[in-house]
Amino acid sequence: MKAKVLVRLKREVLDPQGDAVRRALGTLGFDGVRDVRVGKLIEIDLGASARSSVEVTERLKKMSDELLANPVIEDYEVSVSD
Amino acid sequence: MKAKVLVRLKREVLDPQGDAVRRALGTLGFDGVRDVRVGKLIEIDLGASARSSVEVTERLKKMSDELLANPVIEDYEVSVSD
């Protein structure tokens, strides 16, 4: 079972890295870029498991709350595939 | 138009950050985690554009090759939505 966790800064949190990328894209000639946000992609290989995908999703949410994301400034999105 | 670029380290490239996360998950009691890879999620707001989604995708690939990813050690995946 494989899981993907996308971690994004909350909308109201400034993203200096994203701003730097936006400016750099402009400098390279890519016009019309309005906003860039940089987050994390975390891919987890859970091996074979007897757990249902609902249980696995719950477990991933716990992992995200405890380690993968900082719930104060970040949101996360979890998806599971076989 | 919004775009999402997922940047991953190539399979053959070591990922010390992913290994650290894997070990930390084990320490926190999440057993059975076989592998963790950490990549980047880059979300780009391109505003309103007369370009077709094929053209936009081509442009995003150029952005990725030139700035968003390091093609020597990273792969990327581009997706576009309205």
Side-chain angles (χ1 to χ4, degrees):
Chain A
M1 216 165 220
K2 309 230 172 196
K4 197 195 287 192
V5 182
L6 298 179
V7 181
R8 299 176 171 92
L9 282 172
K10 293 190 185 204
R11 267 288 137 210
E12 60 271 25
V13 178
L14 288 177
D15 181 0
Q17 193 184 357
D19 285 340
V21 171
R22 184 178 51 73
R23 280 193 304 271
L25 286 172
T27 308
L28 287 172
F30 296 103
D31 55 320
V33 177
R34 283 223 300 226
D35 191 29
V36 178
R37 306 282 288 181
V38 179
K40 273 180 290 183
L41 159 70
I42 302 166
E43 290 177 305
I44 303 176
D45 182 351
L46 294 159
S49 163
R51 293 182 173 93
S52 71
S53 84
V54 174
E55 281 174 303
V56 170
T57 303
E58 278 311 306
R59 226 164 139 242
L60 285 162
K61 286 183 183 170
K62 269 188 123 174
M63 287 181 190
S64 301
D65 281 324
E66 291 181 32
L67 182 78
L68 305 178
N70 175 352
V72 178
I73 56 165
E74 291 171 330
D75 289 321
Y76 59 82
E77 182 187 327
V78 166
S79 60
V80 179
S81 64
D82 286 330
Chain B
M1 215 166 219
K2 310 228 172 199
K4 199 196 286 190
V5 182
L6 298 179
V7 180
R8 299 176 170 93
L9 282 171
K10 293 188 185 209
R11 267 289 135 210
E12 61 271 24
V13 178
L14 288 178
D15 182 0
Q17 191 184 358
D19 285 342
V21 171
R22 183 179 51 74
R23 280 194 304 271
L25 286 172
T27 309
L28 288 171
F30 297 103
D31 56 320
V33 176
R34 282 221 302 222
D35 191 29
V36 178
R37 305 282 287 182
V38 179
K40 274 179 290 183
L41 159 69
I42 303 166
E43 290 177 305
I44 304 175
D45 181 351
L46 294 159
S49 163
R51 293 184 175 92
S52 72
S53 85
V54 175
E55 281 174 304
V56 170
T57 304
E58 278 311 306
R59 227 165 140 240
L60 285 161
K61 286 184 182 167
K62 269 187 120 175
M63 288 180 191
S64 302
D65 281 325
E66 291 181 30
L67 183 79
L68 306 178
N70 176 352
V72 178
I73 55 166
E74 291 170 329
D75 289 321
Y76 58 83
E77 182 187 328
V78 165
S79 59
V80 179
S81 65
D82 287 331

